[in-house]
Amino acid sequence: MGYETDIDRGVFDTYQFANRDLQEYLVIILAGFLVLESGIFLMIQPATGYETSLIEALPQPFWYLFYIVLGGGILTLIAAAVTESGYWRHGLALIVANYAMYFFLPKARGYRFYGQGTADALRHFGDVKSILATGSLPGIWYPGEHVLMAQMTMLGVPLDAIPYLTAFLFTAIQIVGIGVLVRTVSGQPGSLAAGLAAGTPLIYTTFHLSNHPAMNSFMIVPVLLTLTELYRRSNDNEYVVLFLLIGVFIIYSHPMTTLFMVGLLLLTAVYSGVFNRLSLSDVR
């Protein structure tokens, strides 16, 4: 019963090659592309006149490298999910570094503001300047993000870099939050990498750059759902504390996100109660 055929051995060797060697080669190649992309990024010069398109202002090789690294990073995550390898860390690092350059392209090009023309984004930055100038809240109903940006400015981050840094941080939180949520709910070894791959595309398009409080607060909802699920399974009080901290931030970030959060939690509670009655077992 314990013998091993040549076919079994061949399948095992092929799996090990796909699990380790191919992913390692892919990561090394993508890292090389990322270095080339970084070199082009560092050579970007500030605009000397009015530009109608940031995309057209940059050399085409930069965009080729950007999409190669982005697609390759997602492919690495998918391969790590299928083979349950640890190369999801490398794929995530490549994607985060790639997006970091992408979000700071307007800053490298010398733009004062970029992508802030949607909704009332510019007014929110005016409120941040009011907080910095007066030390008080200028009559804002939901000052969570404004206070965060003001604190970042007081810590030394230039105000004209705040839009890009904030957009990048919230997007990174969303990607990681989706990955951890999928892993927590499914419990499967490769589900973290699969969740990271699903969360990588910029699903909110221009709103990732707009720094609108409603959208940025919505990006941390996966983290809130993860903490809710972890508490339901463990009843550990530290998850309650983290849940309350993030929940308070969402409440003070935007009322629409707050209503969505409350509705989602109520729906979860109702579903748990109905399921408990029908199945005579707790939802954990």
Side-chain angles (χ1 to χ4, degrees), residues 20 35 65 85 99-100 189 279 283:
R20 182 185 65 253
V35 171
L65 292 169
S85 72
Y99 272 153
S279 63
V283 178

Side-chain angles (χ1 to χ4, degrees), residues 217-218 220-221 224-225 228 243-244 246-252 254-271:
S217 58
F218 195 77
I220 62 177
V221 169
L224 194 75
L225 295 178
T228 303
F243 174 88
L244 291 176
I246 297 178
V248 168
F249 178 78
I250 290 179
I251 290 173
Y252 281 100
H254 201 274
M256 291 304 298
T257 316
T258 302
L259 291 176
F260 176 82
M261 176 185 69
V262 172
L264 190 61
L265 294 177
L266 287 176
L267 182 62
T268 302
V270 171
Y271 172 80

Side-chain angles (χ1 to χ4, degrees), residues 16 23 29 64 83-84 113 115 124 131 144 196 230 234 246 252:
Q16 286 296 96
Q23 293 179 53
I29 293 172
Y64 293 145
T83 61
E84 300 179 6
F113 281 104
H124 293 300
I131 294 175
L196 292 172
L230 289 173
S234 65
I246 297 178
Y252 281 100

Side-chain angles (χ1 to χ4, degrees), residues 164-177:
Y164 316 118
L165 178 59
T166 306
F168 169 70
L169 290 177
F170 276 100
T171 299
I173 290 173
Q174 175 194 315
I175 294 173
V176 176

Side-chain angles (χ1 to χ4, degrees), residues 6-276:
D6 292 338
I7 296 178
D8 293 335
R9 187 62 186 174
V11 171
F12 178 79
D13 290 341
T14 302
Y15 176 82
Q16 286 296 96
F17 180 72
N19 184 30
R20 182 185 65 253
D21 297 327
L22 285 182
Q23 293 179 53
E24 180 179 353
Y25 297 152
L26 178 60
V27 167
I28 293 174
I29 293 172
L30 291 175
F33 285 140
L34 184 65
V35 171
L36 294 176
E37 181 186 351
S38 302
I40 298 176
F41 178 85
L42 294 175
M43 291 188 294
I44 295 176
Q45 298 296 320
T48 57
Y50 180 76
E51 293 181 348
T52 59
S53 174
L54 174 62
I55 297 175
E56 295 178 359
L58 298 176
Q60 286 296 322
F62 176 85
W63 294 112
Y64 293 145
L65 292 169
F66 170 78
Y67 284 111
I68 289 174
V69 174
L70 180 62
I74 295 176
L75 181 61
T76 302
L77 291 174
I78 295 175
V82 173
T83 61
E84 300 179 6
S85 72
Y87 280 99
W88 64 266
R89 301 179 181 87
H90 303 77
L92 178 61
L94 288 167
I95 290 170
V96 169
N98 200 38
Y99 272 153
M101 283 186 284
Y102 173 78
F103 278 97
F104 278 91
L105 282 176
K107 180 65 176 174
R109 195 62 182 158
Y111 294 0
R112 188 164 183 82
F113 281 104
Y114 180 82
Q116 308 303 315
T118 57
D120 53 353
L122 289 178
R123 179 194 168 182
H124 293 300
F125 285 103
D127 292 333
V128 173
K129 295 187 69 174
S130 297
I131 294 175
L132 294 172
T134 64
S136 60
L137 300 177
I140 315 173
W141 291 2
Y142 40 94
E145 184 176 309
H146 308 80
V147 173
L148 174 63
M149 291 183 177
Q151 290 287 344
M152 293 169 65
T153 304
M154 288 187 284
L155 289 174
V157 181
L159 184 60
D160 57 354
I162 289 292
Y164 316 118
L165 178 59
T166 306
F168 169 70
L169 290 177
F170 276 100
T171 299
I173 290 173
Q174 175 194 315
I175 294 173
V176 176
I178 292 176
V180 176
L181 176 61
V182 173
R183 177 68 175 87
T184 302
V185 173
S186 68
Q188 300 299 318
S191 57
L192 173 61
L196 292 172
T200 294
L202 301 182
I203 57 177
Y204 301 129
T205 62
T206 58
F207 284 105
H208 281 274
L209 287 173
S210 67
N211 278 290
H212 196 283
M215 299 306 302
N216 283 349
S217 58
F218 195 77
M219 291 182 194
I220 62 177
V221 169
V223 179
L224 194 75
L225 295 178
T226 300
L227 293 173
T228 303
E229 183 65 20
L230 289 173
Y231 173 71
R232 288 201 309 173
R233 297 187 180 197
S234 65
N235 286 327
D236 290 337
N237 291 330
E238 59 262 28
Y239 296 126
V240 177
V241 175
L242 292 173
F243 174 88
L244 291 176
L245 290 175
I246 297 178
V248 168
F249 178 78
I250 290 179
I251 290 173
Y252 281 100
S253 291
H254 201 274
M256 291 304 298
T257 316
T258 302
L259 291 176
F260 176 82
M261 176 185 69
V262 172
L264 190 61
L265 294 177
L266 287 176
L267 182 62
T268 302
V270 171
Y271 172 80
S272 300
V274 173
F275 185 86
N276 288 341

